Amino acid sequence: MFVFLVRRLFQAVMVMLAVAFIAFLMFRYLGDPVNNIVSQDATQEQREEVRQRLHLDDPMIMQYGRFVANAAQGDFGMSYRNSRPVSALLAERLPATAELVLVAALLSLVLGIPLGIYTALKPRGILSQGLQILSLIGISLPTFVTGILLILIFSVWLGWLPSFGRGEVIDIGWWSTGFLTLSGIKALILPSFMLCLFQLTLIMRLVRAEMMEVLRADYIKFAKARGLRNKTIHFRHALKNTLIPVVTIFGLQLGGLIAFAIITETVFQWPGMGALFIQAVNFTDVPVMAAYLVMVSLIFVIINTSVDLLYNVIDPRLRADPTRASGRGA
Amino acid sequence: MALLEVENLKVEFPTRKGVLTAVDSVSFSVEQGEILGVVGESGAGKSMTGAAVIGLLEPPGRIGGGQIRLDGKRIDNLPPSEMRKVRGRHIGAIFQDPLTSLNPLFTVGEQLVETIRTHLPMSAADARKRAIEWLAEVGIPAPDKRFDQYPHQFSGGMRQRVVIALALCAEPRLIIADEPTTALDVSVQAQIIALLKRVCRERNAAVILVTHDMGVIAETADRVAVMYAGRLAEIGPVAQVLQKPSHPYTAGLMGSIPRIGPRPDRLIQIEGSMPRLTDIPKGCAFNPRCPKVFANCHHNPARTAADRRWCGRLSALRRGDAMNAMPTSLKTADNRTLLSVKGLKKHFAMTKPFLNRLIEKEEPQSVKAVDGLDLDIPRGQTLSLVGESGCGKSTVARLIMGLSTPSGGNITFDGIDISRAPAGSPAAVRQRMQMIFQDPYASLNPRWRVRDIIAEPLRTYGLSGSREEERREVDRLLEFVGLNAKDGDKFPHEFSGGQRQRISIARAISTKPEFLVCDEPTSALDVSVQAQILNLMREMQRELGLTYLFISHDLAVVNFMSDWIGVMYLGRLVEVAPAAELFNNPQHPYTRLLLDTIPDLGMSKRDRTPAAGEVPNPISPPPGCHFNPRCPLANDRCRSEAPVLRAYANGGRVSCHAAEEGRGPAIVPAGMEHSTQTAP
C-alpha cells in the first residue's frame, strides 16, 4: 500500500511538472510579457526595468524553476487585465464553481445509480424503455441547447427559477456559499441540472450495462442456486461488482464536469472559474489562463489518485500482492 | 418413494425460427443417498436437465412439459419465491468453474454465513461457528483464518472445496454437480471427487453428477443416464451401462474413449457429430449415426417399456466389433533423430516497476516456464509431452515452432540449428514443420473461405502453382482429411468443432511437412469426435511418415498416440521413456501420481488415494527437486539439490534422487540390461 502511494504521488508530481511547463511556455512565449504589462508609451528604460524585475533575461530552465516554485506557493503573478493577483481572483471564483460541480456530481450519482439499477432489473418494463429513450436524448443533445431550453421553460414561461447568477450568497470566511439562502438554492437548480444531465445519462447507462453483465456472471448463478433472496443477490452481490467500473468512469468524468462548467457558467452567467477563464481568453490574460490550466490539472490528478485509492478499498484483489497470491494466479 | 422423480421432462427455447426442444421426454428418479451420473457429449442436454430440476433455466428457456417431484411434491410449477426456498435448502448445486463461482468482493466466510442464515434460523455467531466447521469439513487447513480471506487468496482446488461447502452448508438432500472437476488439474480432480463422495455419503445426500467424463462416472456413480440430443439414450446401474451397453450410442461412446493398456491401431469411431437442436432427426435421434439402424428407427422415437433400454433394436453393439478394422502396417524402423532440443530455456520476466524495486529492494524475478529441457524425437515417431497446466509444455511447442524466442539452449531440426533466429530461419525448414492448435474455433479466420485457409501456407511458400493446380491440391487435402471437396467454398462457422479441426489438419499438412506439433488438438472436442481426429492423425502418420510432437494432459489419449512420453513438472522434464514402459514401470513419483489420477473405466473398484497438494506457484518453485513438497519419497537431498536426467534400463531417462538411490521401486541401472531402443 505504501509503495502504491509513493508510486502514485511520484506520477502525480511528474504530471503536474509537465502541465506547469506548458503553462510556463504560454506565459513566457505567448507574446512578450513586457508588452502586456507596461503601458503603450513606456520608455525603453522602463521596459528594461520590468524585464529585469521579472528576470526575463535568465536562462529558460531557471525561469521555469522559479515559475514552478511560485506556482507551488499559489503565486501566479498579476492578472494583466485587473492588475490583481491571479490567486486572489481564482480564490474568489472557486466557491461558485465548486458548489455547482458538487451539486451536479451528487445529482448524477443519486439519480443515475438507482435509475441504472432499475432499468437493468426490469429491462422490458415501459418505464425502463422510456428512460432509455430519454437518456439517449440527454446524451446526444448539446448541453447548451438543453440549458437554453431549461431557461425558456422554467424561467421565461413558468417564471419559477432565475435564469442567471448565483442569487444571494453568504460569506463564511473566504468561502461564499449559495447553499444557505433560498434564492441561492433556487439559482443552483437549473445550472446544476444542465451540467449533470450528460453525467446522469452516462452513469445510468453504464450502471445498466454493467449490472446486466454482472447478473449473467457465474457467481450470481451460484448465489441463486444457494437460494439467496433476490434483494441480497441484486443489492449485495451484483451492485458492489457493478460499481467498480462506475467509480473509474465517474472519477474521470468529474474532471469533465469542471471542464464542461465553462459552458454552463457562460449560459447562466454563473460567476465561477469557467466564466473567469472565458474572460481571460477574450483579453489574452495569460497569467489567468496559465493558472486555470494548472488548477484544473491539479484537480484532475487529485481525483484520479483518489479513485485509485478507492479501488483498493472496494476490490480486495488489488489489496494483495499479486506475486504472493497462493495457487496458480500467475 | 424416490427422493426426486422426473417424468417426461421437456425443456423448450422459443426462438425466431420457432420453438426448439432442448430436452425431450426425459424421465428418471434419484433415491435418497444415491449418486446418479448423467453423461453425454456437449449439447446433449445434460446441464439443461440439471438446471431445470433446480429451477435455474436461463431465459428464454422454459419447462415445456412433464413433472419434477421432490419427495412426491411437484416443484416444477412453484412460484419463484417458493422455488427460491427449495434451492440451497433442499437442492444444492455446484458448477464447473470454481474461479468464477465465488463472488470476488466478499470473503468466503461472509458468503457461507449469508447462505446458512438464509435457510437456517441461526444467530450470526452460531452461523460463523458452523461456517468454520464446514471449511474444516471440506479439508481447508486453518479454517478460522481462511474464513476471513477472499476467494482470490485460494487456489483453484481450494475454491472448489469452498463451493462444495457453500452448496452443502444448508444441508440439502440433493446436490446437482455440473461438471464439478472439468476446470481443474487432473491431480486435483481426484481429490474433489473423493471429497464430494465422502461428504454426500456421510449426510445421505443424493447427487446428480453431470459430466462428460466416463472415468469419473465409472468411479463415482451408482447409476448412470446417457443422454443424446436432449433425450435419454440409456439408463441403468453403472456397471451394466458401461460394460454391457445396450444402446449403440453408448457402445460407440465407450469404444471411442482411449484407454490405458495395450494400444489399439484405431479407436472405435462414431461417424458424424451430434445434430443441432434445429434439425434433430425424426424417430430415434441417433439414427443417422447408428451402425445398427433399421427402418423402424426413422419413425418411432425409440422407447421400450423397460427402464433402461431406449433403443428400438435390442441387439447390442459389442465393444470391439470395429476393432482391427484397419490392417496394422509395419512402421518403418528409422531411429534417426529428426528434432533435437538441448538445454532449452524460456524465462519470462515478472519484474515489478522500477519504483517498487527501489522501495522494496526486490530482486528482479522471472518465471522459468521451460528450464533446461533435453529432448530427441526420432523420425516417424510420436513424442508426447504431458503435465498439468503451467508445466511449460505449450511453451516448448511455441519455442520449437519459432513463435517465441528461447532464453537459452538449442533446437536442431534435421541437423539445422533453428533456435537462434526463429523468424528469419530458412523458409525451407519452416515449411517442413507445421502446427495444429487446440481451439478449432479460434485458430481459423472466420472471414476466410476454407479453400483460402488451406491454401494460405501453399501461397506463403510459393508452392501453389497455377490456380487450377491449387484448387486440385486443396480438394485433395479436403478429401484426405475426410471432408468434401465442395466444403472448400464454405466459411469456418458452417462446420462443427471436429470438422474445423480437420480443416486445421488439412492446412497443417498442405506444405507436405515432415514434422507436426500438435498442442492439445482434441481437448476442445467431444469424445466421439476426438476418436475420429485421433484415428485420422494415426493414419496420416502411417501414410505420410509424419513425426509428431504431441502435447496433452490426457494420459489415455497420449497412450494411444505416442511412442515416447515425456513428463514435465514446473518447466523441467522429470521422466521420458517409451510409452509402454512409462505406463508399466513409471520411475518418477510424479509420473506415478499422474498415472494414479486416471479414472478407471474397468470398474475394478480399486481404491485410489488422491494425491495431496497442487502445483506450486511457478514464480517461486520449491528449491531442489521442484516436486519435493508433494513427493512421498522426498528427503533432505531432494530439498536442496536439483536432480538431473539419468538414463535407465527401460530405455528412458528419469530425474529423481529417490529413483537413483533406489528409495523408490526397484529399477535396474543402465548398462546392466540389453536395451533395444536408444534414449531420446
Side-chain angles (χ1 to χ4, degrees):
Chain A
M1 190 64 190
F2 173 69
V3 179
F4 174 80
L5 258 181
V6 170
R7 205 168 73 210
R8 270 266 154 259
L9 280 177
F10 178 75
Q11 286 168 354
V13 169
M14 292 311 281
V15 170
M16 285 318 296
L17 281 178
V19 170
F21 187 66
I22 295 170
F24 162 72
L25 287 182
M26 260 168 62
F27 175 72
R28 178 67 188 74
Y29 298 103
L30 217 64
D32 187 351
V34 177
N35 276 344
N36 288 322
I37 292 171
V38 298
S39 57
Q40 297 233 318
D41 46 359
T43 63
Q44 195 58 37
E45 284 78 43
Q46 279 172 318
R47 284 169 178 274
E48 206 47 49
E49 197 233 41
V50 172
R51 194 171 289 278
Q52 292 286 333
R53 188 155 51 81
L54 293 180
H55 305 282
L56 291 180
D57 293 326
D58 290 352
M60 189 173 115
I61 188 79
M62 278 183 67
Q63 294 187 42
Y64 173 57
R66 200 172 294 122
F67 179 84
V68 170
N70 287 339
Q73 295 162 34
D75 178 7
F76 288 93
M78 305 288 274
S79 158
Y80 295 159
R81 187 173 130 76
N82 317 41
S83 306
R84 289 176 55 202
V86 172
S87 47
L89 278 176
L90 280 178
E92 196 173 279
R93 298 298 195 98
L94 179 69
T97 300
E99 286 184 359
L100 177 63
V101 169
L102 184 75
V103 172
L106 283 179
L107 268 182
S108 65
L109 281 182
V110 169
L111 294 176
I113 293 178
L115 288 179
I117 295 172
Y118 180 81
T119 49
L121 294 181
K122 295 210 172 9
R124 290 180 201 285
I126 292 178
L127 192 56
S128 297
Q129 302 272 329
L131 278 169
Q132 281 290 98
I133 293 168
L134 269 181
S135 74
L136 207 61
I137 294 170
I139 217 161
S140 47
L141 265 188
T143 46
F144 64 86
V145 174
T146 45
I148 290 167
L149 282 176
L150 286 173
I151 291 178
L152 184 68
I153 297 169
F154 292 100
S155 307
V156 179
W157 289 350
L158 299 172
W160 290 350
L161 297 167
S163 64
F164 66 91
R166 279 187 85 187
E168 256 178 274
V169 291
I170 292 173
D171 289 337
I172 303 170
W174 60 275
W175 188 278
S176 65
T177 178
F179 287 152
L180 300 176
T181 60
L182 187 64
S183 73
I185 291 172
K186 274 169 85 173
L188 250 173
I189 295 176
L190 284 186
S192 58
F193 186 71
M194 165 184 161
L195 187 57
C196 88
L197 199 60
F198 182 78
Q199 297 298 314
L200 170 65
T201 48
L202 188 78
I203 287 180
M204 181 188 125
R205 295 181 81 92
L206 187 70
V207 168
R208 174 179 185 270
E210 279 300 324
M211 187 96 173
M212 291 175 87
E213 187 71 38
V214 168
L215 285 175
R216 276 195 296 270
D218 280 354
Y219 52 81
I220 297 298
K221 189 169 143 202
F222 188 53
K224 283 184 193 159
R226 285 187 276 146
L228 301 185
R229 288 175 191 90
N230 277 341
K231 211 171 64 190
T232 315
I233 292 174
H234 293 154
F235 294 102
R236 199 171 127 91
H237 288 269
L239 187 58
K240 203 169 173 189
N241 281 282
T242 301
L243 288 183
I244 291 178
V246 174
V247 166
T248 323
I249 299 291
F250 181 70
L252 287 174
Q253 289 294 323
L254 204 55
L257 273 182
I258 296 166
F260 271 114
I262 294 182
I263 299 170
T264 311
E265 289 179 10
T266 310
V267 170
F268 287 94
Q269 294 175 34
W270 190 262
M273 293 201 305
L276 181 72
F277 178 73
I278 294 287
Q279 241 176 49
V281 170
N282 282 337
F283 295 95
T284 33
D285 195 346
V286 176
V288 173
M289 283 155 69
Y292 181 80
L293 177 67
V294 173
M295 184 95 177
V296 170
S297 313
L298 183 67
I299 295 172
F300 255 92
V301 167
I302 290 173
I303 291 170
N304 277 314
T305 309
S306 335
V307 164
D308 283 342
L309 291 175
L310 203 58
Y311 243 59
N312 269 279
V313 175
I314 300 181
D315 195 337
R317 283 166 295 188
L318 297 177
R319 272 176 244 158
D321 184 343
T323 55
R324 239 174 281 153
S326 59
R328 317 191 330 270
Chain B
M1 179 175 49
L3 176 67
L4 180 84
E5 292 163 300
V6 175
E7 203 178 299
N8 278 327
L9 178 69
K10 186 173 183 178
V11 175
E12 299 173 332
F13 277 85
T15 67
R16 268 176 295 172
K17 289 177 191 156
V19 175
L20 298 181
T21 307
V23 173
D24 200 4
S25 6
V26 165
S27 304
F28 62 88
S29 62
V30 184
E31 302 293 331
Q32 196 87 28
E34 180 188 41
I35 301 182
L36 173 74
V38 179
V39 289
E41 299 177 272
S42 45
K46 52 192 193 304
S47 293
M48 204 86 76
T49 308
V53 170
I54 197 168
L56 283 179
L57 282 172
E58 298 282 336
R62 60 174 189 227
I63 295 178
Q67 289 195 356
I68 302 170
R69 289 188 298 272
L70 185 74
D71 275 335
K73 284 200 289 281
R74 273 186 77 169
I75 56 169
D76 57 297
N77 57 357
L78 286 180
S81 58
E82 289 302 307
M83 191 59 206
R84 178 188 70 70
K85 290 179 190 155
V86 173
R87 282 198 293 269
R89 182 71 188 89
H90 300 290
I91 307 178
I94 297 165
F95 296 117
Q96 176 169 349
D97 193 349
L99 300 186
T100 57
S101 285
L102 299 171
N103 190 332
L105 304 187
F106 294 95
T107 64
V108 297
E110 286 171 325
Q111 300 188 48
L112 272 164
V113 167
E114 79 180 349
T115 313
I116 293 171
R117 294 196 67 194
T118 302
H119 295 293
L120 307 173
M122 256 192 213
S123 72
D126 286 347
R128 186 191 156 93
K129 233 175 87 201
R130 174 69 67 88
I132 292 174
E133 282 165 18
W134 265 107
L135 287 177
E137 174 73 28
V138 295
I140 299 212
D144 43 343
K145 284 204 194 69
R146 298 294 244 169
F147 180 88
D148 288 317
Q149 290 189 339
Y150 289 93
H152 70 270
Q153 291 162 298
F154 290 73
S155 65
M158 285 295 161
R159 278 192 233 187
Q160 196 64 310
R161 287 170 189 268
V162 173
V163 168
I164 289 176
L166 276 166
L168 280 153
C169 65
E171 315 255 318
R173 280 172 305 151
L174 174 67
I175 300 288
I176 295 173
D178 190 351
E179 304 268 11
T181 59
T182 308
L184 302 170
D185 270 330
V186 279
S187 63
V188 183
Q189 278 185 12
Q191 297 170 11
I192 296 297
I193 287 290
L195 170 71
L196 187 63
K197 231 166 125 173
R198 176 176 64 81
V199 177
C200 292
R201 282 271 141 82
E202 282 171 10
R203 283 166 186 73
N204 202 25
V207 180
I208 297 181
L209 180 64
V210 175
T211 178
H212 68 280
D213 190 335
M214 286 288 194
V216 169
I217 294 285
E219 292 212 326
T220 316
D222 302 309
R223 284 189 309 139
V224 60
V226 182
M227 290 190 73
Y228 183 82
R231 289 140 175 91
L232 268 188
E234 182 164 0
I235 184 167
V238 69
Q240 204 171 345
V241 173
L242 262 52
Q243 285 167 349
K244 296 191 189 67
S246 311
H247 197 287
Y249 173 65
T250 319
L253 199 62
M254 291 305 295
S256 65
I257 302 170
R259 288 157 197 255
I260 305 301
R263 168 183 175 209
D265 267 325
R266 263 182 89 80
L267 296 165
I268 292 177
Q269 193 168 311
I270 312 175
E271 299 302 332
S273 56
M274 178 106 60
R276 293 185 186 181
L277 288 181
T278 42
D279 41 26
I280 292 178
K282 285 222 173 354
C284 170
F286 187 58
N287 80 62
R289 300 174 74 189
C290 185
K292 304 270 172 183
V293 66
F294 73 130
N296 209 13
C297 297
H298 298 288
H299 313 298
N300 294 341
R303 192 178 313 152
T304 52
D307 176 46
R308 52 176 251 94
R309 281 200 202 86
W310 297 73
C311 176
R313 183 174 263 225
L314 294 179
S315 65
L317 176 81
R318 287 277 166 259
R319 213 161 15 100
D321 275 4
M323 263 191 206
N324 310 321
M326 281 289 296
T328 45
S329 69
L330 283 171
K331 191 170 283 160
T332 44
D334 180 0
N335 276 344
R336 278 181 304 137
T337 299
L338 180 65
L339 185 101
S340 167
V341 169
K342 287 271 171 294
L344 187 65
K345 284 191 176 134
K346 179 70 189 178
H347 297 181
F348 293 104
M350 291 289 290
T351 308
K352 287 194 183 170
F354 168 74
L355 263 173
N356 285 56
R357 272 181 291 147
L358 197 74
I359 296 166
E360 293 171 352
K361 297 198 173 53
E362 209 170 70
E363 294 296 308
Q365 289 182 322
S366 64
V367 172
K368 293 173 177 158
V370 178
D371 193 19
L373 190 85
D374 296 335
L375 271 184
D376 290 293
I377 308 180
R379 201 180 283 270
Q381 298 197 6
T382 303
L383 184 140
S384 295
L385 284 178
V386 295
E388 293 175 280
S389 49
C391 73
K393 50 193 195 302
S394 289
T395 311
V396 173
R398 295 179 58 83
L399 290 170
I400 290 174
M401 290 310 292
L403 296 175
S404 61
T405 324
S407 316
N410 282 312
I411 305 167
T412 17
F413 181 78
D414 204 11
I416 305 161
D417 186 347
I418 56 169
S419 51
R420 284 297 143 245
S425 72
V429 177
R430 288 288 153 211
Q431 180 190 321
R432 293 163 65 189
M433 320 169 62
Q434 293 291 330
M435 184 160 179
I436 300 170
F437 294 89
Q438 173 173 5
D439 186 349
Y441 293 86
S443 58
L444 302 176
N445 188 335
R447 312 241 182 283
W448 281 27
R449 287 182 197 279
V450 166
R451 180 170 301 287
D452 295 315
I453 290 173
I454 295 175
E456 194 194 11
L458 293 172
R459 292 172 193 162
T460 307
Y461 292 110
L463 304 169
S464 50
S466 71
R467 287 193 73 83
E468 189 47 40
E469 278 166 23
E470 181 188 296
R471 196 174 182 85
R472 272 205 307 272
E473 181 60 19
V474 171
D475 289 351
R476 194 186 65 78
L477 284 164
L478 279 169
E479 275 162 17
F480 183 83
V481 297
L483 295 171
N484 198 312
K486 274 183 295 188
D487 291 335
D489 296 318
K490 296 185 185 164
F491 287 96
H493 71 262
E494 296 173 65
F495 296 90
S496 67
Q499 288 171 323
R500 283 185 219 211
Q501 205 58 311
R502 287 174 191 270
I503 296 169
S504 298
I505 292 173
R507 173 174 64 180
I509 60 172
S510 64
T511 63
K512 302 200 170 58
E514 294 151 56
F515 180 66
L516 280 186
V517 172
C518 316
D519 188 359
E520 304 257 14
T522 60
S523 62
L525 305 175
D526 281 323
V527 279
S528 72
V529 180
Q530 165 172 288
Q532 298 167 6
I533 297 293
L534 294 178
N535 282 338
L536 173 66
M537 290 182 61
R538 287 281 298 271
E539 267 164 47
M540 279 166 33
Q541 186 164 42
R542 274 192 292 266
E543 287 180 28
L544 308 173
L546 291 172
T547 307
Y548 289 138
L549 173 65
F550 190 87
I551 288 167
S552 178
H553 65 277
D554 187 330
L555 287 157
V557 168
V558 163
N559 176 49
F560 176 68
M561 287 301 295
S562 337
D563 301 290
W564 293 87
I565 297 175
V567 181
M568 285 186 74
Y569 190 74
L570 284 178
R572 294 181 186 166
L573 202 56
V574 297
E575 180 165 4
V576 55
E581 280 296 327
L582 191 100
F583 281 103
N584 295 333
N585 189 15
Q587 299 296 322
H588 197 282
Y590 180 61
T591 312
R592 285 200 289 273
L593 181 155
L594 279 186
L595 292 180
D596 210 40
T597 60
I598 306 170
D600 186 6
L601 275 172
M603 311 272 310
S604 59
K605 292 277 173 205
R606 83 187 144 109
D607 226 11
R608 292 196 293 140
T609 33
E614 293 178 43
V615 182
N617 187 341
I619 295 178
S620 47
C625 173
H626 288 343
F627 186 61
N628 79 65
R630 299 172 75 186
C631 182
L633 304 174
N635 64 6
D636 285 343
R637 187 175 171 213
C638 299
R639 282 185 271 273
S640 55
E641 183 190 333
V644 291
L645 276 175
R646 287 172 206 277
Y648 279 98
N650 61 5
R653 293 177 301 156
V654 62
S655 92
C656 177
H657 295 313
E660 188 192 330
E661 294 167 8
R663 269 184 279 142
I667 44 167
V668 198
M672 301 283 283
E673 193 182 89
H674 180 71
S675 75
T676 47
Q677 258 170 314
T678 46

